[in-house]
Amino acid sequence: MHPLLTALEGTLIVSCQAYPGEPMRDPRTMAKVAAAVASGGASAVRAQGLGDIRAVAAAVDVPVIGIWKDGAEGVFITPTLEHCRAVIAAGADILALDGTRRPRPDGLSFAQTVAALREDGFTGPIMADCDSVPAALAAAEAGADIIGTTLAGYTGERARTDGPDLALLGELAGRLPDSAVLVAEGRVHTPAQAAAAREAGAFAVVVGTAITHPTTITGWFREAVAGT
């Protein structure tokens, strides 16, 4: 296990993201959100976009998981080797990228991308955002330090569950090699779901929308009030 990951076991990681056009879509704002969740006990934060990564890294003392979303279809989470290099250069302690078996825009496989980053000299943990058991096992074999269930239910490989994909977590918990840790991410909307993900075998749990996305949370409560 990478030394940076030891302190993350049994902890909460918070994803701090806002979408284009939203009022909070500003690196300075996201840095303040990240600082707030860190003060609340988040063991690490996940930031999207080079500007946000730089601002967040300067604002918190916990590890920063960096991604760069480019596009809206297919592989768009840190989709190419050059995106990966830019995320690392921006200050990410942990690099996260699409870990599915889908073709990447630059024609490189996930394994080739990881190998190139190691040849570059990057020694930090690499997180694979996966969508299925085969993708997760392949990513671990390729050298991913963290296997995330981030894309389960979003690529057609598995049905989308209402909450986190507990079945996927349970299967992966018993099959991943010791070199990779399993992180639950995706549709963790309540403390009970976070606890269930941990019980299913997750090393750590990532929560995003339910903590850091007021637009969506407001919608949840508005619909509840309107339905009474």
Side-chain angles (χ1 to χ4, degrees):
M1 183 186 300
H2 192 286
L4 189 62
L5 304 182
T6 305
L8 302 185
E9 184 172 8
T11 67
L12 172 68
I13 299 167
V14 178
S15 180
C16 303
Q17 299 183 45
Y19 299 107
E22 293 183 340
M24 292 177 64
R25 184 70 200 94
D26 175 76
R28 294 168 299 178
T29 300
M30 286 296 100
K32 290 182 180 296
V33 172
V37 299
S39 68
S43 64
V45 295
R46 181 158 156 137
Q48 190 286 127
L50 304 184
D52 283 24
I53 294 168
R54 294 188 190 98
V56 170
V60 301
D61 293 325
V62 298
V64 176
I65 303 171
I67 65 172
W68 180 0
K69 291 180 178 177
D70 192 2
E73 296 182 356
V75 174
F76 64 88
I77 297 178
T78 326
T80 71
L81 176 59
E82 292 310 309
H83 285 84
C84 293
R85 287 169 170 159
V87 166
I88 293 167
D93 302 293
I94 300 171
L95 168 70
L97 67 158
D98 184 296
T100 68
R101 297 179 293 171
R102 298 175 296 178
R104 300 175 68 83
D106 59 4
L108 298 178
S109 66
F110 178 86
Q112 289 170 326
T113 301
V114 171
L117 293 169
R118 295 310 188 197
E119 289 175 4
D120 286 348
F122 179 63
T123 60
I126 292 176
M127 179 176 181
D129 289 347
C130 296
D131 61 349
S132 66
V133 171
L137 295 178
E141 178 67 22
D145 303 280
I146 305 170
I147 300 299
T149 57
T150 318
L151 292 171
Y154 295 105
T155 67
E157 288 288 318
R158 296 177 66 86
R160 186 180 305 188
T161 53
D162 290 334
D165 193 332
L166 299 178
L168 177 60
L169 286 167
E171 186 168 355
L172 288 175
R175 298 184 62 181
L176 286 178
D178 293 339
S179 59
V181 300
L182 177 61
V183 170
E185 181 172 9
R187 302 183 300 279
V188 183
H189 293 155
T190 67
Q193 289 177 337
R198 176 76 170 135
E199 291 170 3
F203 181 83
V205 178
V206 177
V207 177
T209 297
I211 295 176
T212 62
H213 198 243
T215 302
T216 299
I217 300 169
T218 300
W220 292 347
F221 281 92
R222 185 189 67 247
E223 291 173 3
V225 172
T228 59

